[in-house]
Amino acid sequence: MSTSHSDKKKSVKPRQQSNPQLQAIAYSLDSLVPGFYLWLGDLKIRLGGSEPEETYPGIIHSWWGIALVLPGYRIYSTYQGSYDP
């Protein structure tokens, strides 16, 4: 019996988070990019940091938080959760 199946590669599609500002904060914290980050409901402040890659799937699972990332990979954050979707 012969079966044929094609090996189709899955295309990597960018994951859209409901708030691109919050995704940028998640990416910056996950990557330890120096900056000051504050999110409180609809208020999002990011001083420093970096824009996320198109395929970055990380999210923040908290509606509020504050973080400070200093050079030398020192991070002080109220957020202790995971960035996994």
Side-chain angles (χ1 to χ4, degrees):
M1 181 170 160
S2 173
T3 60
S4 64
H5 67 299
S6 59
D7 293 327
K8 294 182 180 178
K9 293 184 179 181
K10 292 182 180 178
S11 63
V12 178
K13 295 181 181 177
R15 178 185 170 99
Q16 296 295 326
Q17 183 167 334
S18 60
N19 189 319
Q21 293 173 324
L22 196 57
Q23 188 175 26
I25 291 172
Y27 178 78
S28 297
L29 291 176
D30 196 17
S31 302
L32 296 175
V33 179
F36 172 79
Y37 311 96
L38 171 72
W39 62 99
L40 180 62
D42 290 333
L43 176 67
K44 277 75 169 180
I45 298 174
R46 177 174 59 99
L47 302 173
S50 179
E51 291 295 318
E53 297 175 5
E54 287 184 26
T55 58
Y56 177 71
I59 57 176
I60 292 180
H61 301 281
S62 173
W63 67 273
W64 74 276
I66 187 169
L68 177 65
V69 179
L70 300 174
Y73 303 110
R74 296 205 182 260
I75 182 169
Y76 304 96
S77 176
T78 59
Y79 184 69
Q80 300 298 316
S82 170
Y83 301 106
D84 296 331

